[in-house]
Amino acid sequence: MTIMGIVHCVYIGLFLVFCLNGIQLQSVTIDVHNSGVAQQIDSRYIGVTLDSYELRNHFKPLNFNSQRLLTLARGLTPCYLRLGGTDADYVVFNKNSHVGRDVDKRFILNANKYTFGTSDWDRVNGFVKNAGLDFIFDLNLSLRKNGRWDPTNAKELFQYSIQKGYRFAGIELGNEMEYNKDTHVTAQQSAQDFVTLKQVINSMPGLSHPKIYGPAVAGIFYQSFTYAEDFLKAGGANNVDVLTYHHYYTSGPKATVEMYHDHKVLDTLKAGLTSVMNARNKYAHGKTVWLGETSAAYSSAAGDLNRLYVASFPWLDKLGVAALYGVKGLMRQALYAGLVDEHTNPRNVSNTINFEKSKHF
């Protein structure tokens, strides 16, 4: 993708919006300085996510065998698929489990734990392999013993995956723990837990040394930024390969059409990324930065705005700004219930086409 490609998309979008609304067009000159390379990104710059909520529900009613879904997913390759989210810290692998709340008693810390079994794991890994995706999985950080992360369940999942020949491109540990109300894990504790994760991965060569992603904080401002910075200061930078931050411009209930093309809203990303990159340079110099979960608004934008054409504006802006500031990966939330519906149909033609085209600039 190039900056010229993004400018081209934005120009076409503005042209269509103005025409559809009867707005008189005026001649505008845009100067693009292309004498040098600002940043370089690779073909996997854009990825997609599946929410761990779908794993908790055994992926019902999502049909991984749908030829339409496979065709759409293959069209995104090369591409990462991240399975993670809030429920990552509430799901437990149990190869003998067949019932959603048949919780492995060793891991009960609160009433909100759910299990997933081998059939669930086989289905998603079969889809990943058939579609040619690179798989990133978010482990449960709330499984703890004596104040530390207990890797027992992760080892069981890893061992089963090795036996089945399933491959991980990356591993995360925990999701937005700064806001987890059930399991309080400080940034300093999380940094130590990543030491354990790295040791576990290194002790299992059958995993083929997947990259470690973290700390998967909820945003790039305020409490989330502070949590991530404290994580890096406490040694977390030494045990992750990719620093992950989540980003949304606003919450779903507050989202409006006007916000989606308000430059004051969109420009907040620049300020946040400036702080993120300064922290990276100070505490984790040379580490790669991703927006590990992102869209325009979280918690289902009011009126399904994320499905409408207007959502193209924050998406295209984010693609260009993030690339310019040195971000090397964006994980679009979400493939299911975002880009496709429960029948694996594209939920919005213009937005899905926009996503597909952005993969090839």
Side-chain angles (χ1 to χ4, degrees):
M1 179 180 63
T2 65
I3 298 299
M4 284 299 295
I6 294 173
V7 170
H8 179 68
C9 280
V10 172
Y11 177 79
I12 292 175
L14 289 172
F15 178 81
L16 289 173
V17 170
F18 290 160
C19 288
L20 290 172
N21 289 278
I23 299 174
Q24 185 176 0
L25 297 177
Q26 297 180 350
S27 178
V28 176
T29 301
I30 299 176
D31 293 323
V32 178
H33 300 282
N34 59 357
S35 58
V37 177
Q39 292 286 349
Q40 290 185 333
I41 55 176
D42 66 24
S43 57
R44 290 174 174 79
Y45 177 58
I46 306 173
V48 292
T49 70
L50 274 177
D51 200 288
S52 295
Y53 179 82
E54 313 303 339
L55 177 59
R56 162 183 157 177
N57 285 335
H58 308 284
F59 300 112
K60 298 175 182 178
L62 180 59
N63 179 14
F64 282 125
N65 294 320
S66 164
Q67 192 58 48
R68 182 186 292 113
L69 180 62
L70 282 169
T71 300
L72 289 169
R74 287 167 181 161
L76 299 176
T77 57
C79 181
Y80 291 103
L81 174 70
R82 178 232 188 193
L83 177 53
T86 300
D87 283 287
D89 293 303
Y90 297 90
V91 292
V92 177
F93 175 66
N94 183 351
K95 62 183 179 182
N96 299 314
S97 171
H98 300 287
V99 181
R101 290 189 69 91
D102 178 22
V103 180
D104 190 326
K105 297 300 189 294
R106 291 173 298 166
F107 301 111
I108 292 183
L109 295 182
N110 59 64
N112 296 318
K113 289 290 187 290
Y114 294 80
T115 62
F116 65 97
T118 56
S119 61
D120 303 310
W121 196 241
D122 292 342
R123 287 172 63 203
V124 68
N125 277 277
F127 171 71
V128 166
K129 181 178 180 180
N130 290 335
L133 301 168
D134 298 301
F135 191 40
I136 298 172
F137 184 66
D138 192 358
L139 293 170
N140 189 338
L141 183 57
S142 72
L143 302 179
R144 312 190 68 77
K145 185 177 182 180
N146 299 324
R148 296 177 177 272
W149 176 59
D150 183 353
T152 304
N153 194 244
K155 289 180 180 178
E156 292 176 358
L157 179 64
F158 289 159
Q159 191 59 52
Y160 178 79
S161 299
I162 291 171
Q163 292 172 358
K164 297 288 289 188
Y166 300 148
R167 299 179 64 85
F168 297 93
I171 298 293
E172 287 186 302
L173 181 59
N175 182 82
E176 301 180 358
M177 293 304 293
E178 72 273 27
Y179 290 114
N180 191 301
K181 297 179 180 179
D182 296 307
T183 306
H184 180 65
V185 178
T186 68
Q188 292 76 15
Q189 289 172 324
S190 179
Q192 290 303 307
D193 294 333
F194 272 80
V195 174
T196 303
L197 173 61
K198 188 172 184 177
Q199 291 171 344
V200 169
I201 289 176
N202 289 340
S203 71
M204 305 180 76
L207 290 175
S208 300
H209 303 289
K211 289 185 177 181
I212 298 176
Y213 294 72
V217 290
I220 55 179
F221 299 105
Y222 311 122
Q223 182 176 341
S224 296
F225 176 79
T226 300
Y227 189 98
E229 190 173 47
D230 290 343
F231 172 86
L232 298 178
K233 291 179 187 178
N238 298 323
N239 296 291
V240 296
D241 300 294
V242 179
L243 307 179
T244 53
Y245 298 77
H246 300 170
H247 178 265
Y248 299 88
Y249 292 101
T250 185
S251 65
K254 295 180 179 179
T256 65
V257 170
E258 290 73 23
M259 292 178 70
Y260 277 30
H261 56 81
D262 184 342
H263 72 89
K264 293 180 181 178
V265 174
L266 301 184
D267 283 349
T268 60
L269 178 60
K270 296 180 181 179
L273 288 181
T274 296
S275 298
V276 165
M277 290 305 177
N278 286 340
R280 188 276 307 268
N281 293 338
K282 186 174 183 179
Y283 303 112
H285 188 71
K287 294 289 183 178
T288 298
V289 173
W290 277 21
L291 297 183
E293 180 189 303
T294 189
S295 187
Y298 61 88
S299 298
S300 300
D304 266 349
L305 287 180
N306 287 350
R307 293 174 52 191
L308 303 182
Y309 183 80
V310 70
S312 299
F313 292 98
W315 177 239
L316 289 171
D317 187 76
K318 182 173 296 187
L319 288 174
V321 170
L324 185 62
Y325 277 72
V327 174
K328 299 303 181 183
L330 277 74
M331 301 300 291
R332 175 63 181 264
Q333 177 87 349
L335 176 62
Y336 175 65
L339 296 176
V340 301
D341 63 18
E342 65 272 19
H343 303 296
T344 66
N345 295 311
R347 294 191 69 194
N348 179 275
V349 175
S350 62
N351 203 15
T352 304
I353 290 175
N354 170 270
F355 181 84
E356 289 272 6
K357 285 186 176 180
S358 67
K359 283 285 295 178
H360 300 291
F361 278 121

